[in-house]
Each structure stands twice: as structure tokens, then as C-alpha cells.
Amino acid sequence: MATFTMPALRYAEDALAPVISKETLGFHYGKHLQTYVNNLNNLVKDTEFANSTLEEIAEKAQGGIANNAGQVLNHSLYFEQFSPKPASNVPQGALAEAIVKSFGSFDEMKAKMNASATTLFGSGWAWLCADNSGNLSILQMPNADNPLRHGLKPLLTFDVWEHAYYLDYQNRRPDYINALWSIIDWDVVAGRM
Ligand code: MN
């Protein structure tokens, strides 16, 4: 039977401050994500998904299994994409070219992602996604929805559930979103193409 485990953090819990504080990481990664992992392990027992991969479950399941698998997948992608000291503050190579082709410029992509993350009503995720032809798009997805359910590849994601930012930014969701750009590891995002 598959047992899902916590994704390893690539940085110390205090390393992303002040963009994401140690306190927020402690609750968001250490408590919220751990709960989704525990729930998923309990829910898939003795179901058709008992031997499936996380991606298969996040794409195909329904109800509580889909919600918890989606949250494990989404948070794994979210926490993996950050670095306290990114090698570059802008994407490079094929990813940079795909962004220009799909959006006109990196700044235009950023503006669309900011608008998507800011205007998402309630809890959910803003995504930069790629289709099979390498065309990029930005989409809002509620709750635990993810690009795999829409036949798309996830590249970059902003968690806009209040638990992602409330300790650090309270109601100022746009400030949280703007700050995230400074800790994106573009090598990780490019590796998802
Ligand atoms: Mn979250």
C-alpha cells in the first residue's frame, strides 16, 4: 500500500523570512500539510486508490480523497518552488521564451498571476500552467483543485488560502503575493516544463 510522506523542505524554516515567517511555515508546512498527508493516508486505505501515485489520485479521485490528495500535491509544489537566495529573479532559457510567447513579456505574466491570485474569491490556488504544446496559461482554481484535473502541467503556484499568509499579512493578500516573487526558484519552475 502506498504511504504518503511529507515532502522535504529545501531550506530552514526561518530562511524565507520576512516573505514567509518561521511561524507561518511552522503552521502551514508543519501542521496544515501534515494533516492533509495524514488524512490522505487514512482515506485511501482499502480503496481503489490504495496503490496509486499521488498524481493519479489528485487527477482522478472525487470527494475527500481528491481534496486531500490535491492539497498534498499543491503544497508539495508550493514549498518546493521557493529559495531564500534564488540564482536569478527572472526565468531563463526555454521557460523565459515560453513566457514571452504566451504572454508577451515576463512583466505581463506577473501582472496576470498577481491579478489571478488577488481576485480569487475564498480559498484556492493561482497557477501558471503548460499544455501539451508548451503554451502557458494562468488559471484560478478553488479549494484543492489542480492543473492535472484539467489536462495541464503545473509550473508555478500561489497558495491564497488565508492560512498561507494571515499570520504575516492579515488581510493584505496583495502584499503577500507581491512578496512571493522574490523567493521563486526559477530553476525549479523550469524543471517542471
Ligand atoms: Mn496552504
Side-chain angles (χ1 to χ4, degrees), residues 6 12 21 31 39-40 48-49 52 95 101 109 119 123 125 128 130 142 145 171 178:
M6 289 285 281
S21 69
K31 306 284 187 196
N39 288 345
L40 179 61
E48 61 180 305
F49 296 107
S52 301
L95 174 61
K101 184 167 160 258
M109 186 278 282
T119 62
S123 296
W125 302 78
L128 173 66
D145 197 9
N171 60 310
N178 279 322

Side-chain angles (χ1 to χ4, degrees), residues 24-93:
T24 288
L25 263 183
F27 280 100
H28 195 190
Y29 172 82
K31 306 284 187 196
H32 288 276
L33 177 53
Q34 183 71 65
T35 299
Y36 295 129
V37 169
N38 294 347
N39 288 345
L40 179 61
N41 282 323
N42 289 328
L43 287 167
V44 296
K45 265 183 217 160
D46 305 320
T47 72
E48 61 180 305
F49 296 107
N51 296 303
S52 301
T53 65
L54 177 62
E55 287 75 13
E56 285 166 351
I57 302 172
E59 181 182 343
K60 293 176 183 148
Q62 301 298 327
I65 297 181
N67 287 337
N68 285 281
Q71 288 295 76
V72 174
L73 177 77
N74 297 355
H75 284 94
S76 298
L77 293 164
Y78 174 81
F79 290 118
E80 182 194 44
Q81 74 195 0
F82 298 131
S83 166
K85 284 196 165 71
S88 169
N89 283 118
V90 293
Q92 308 288 322

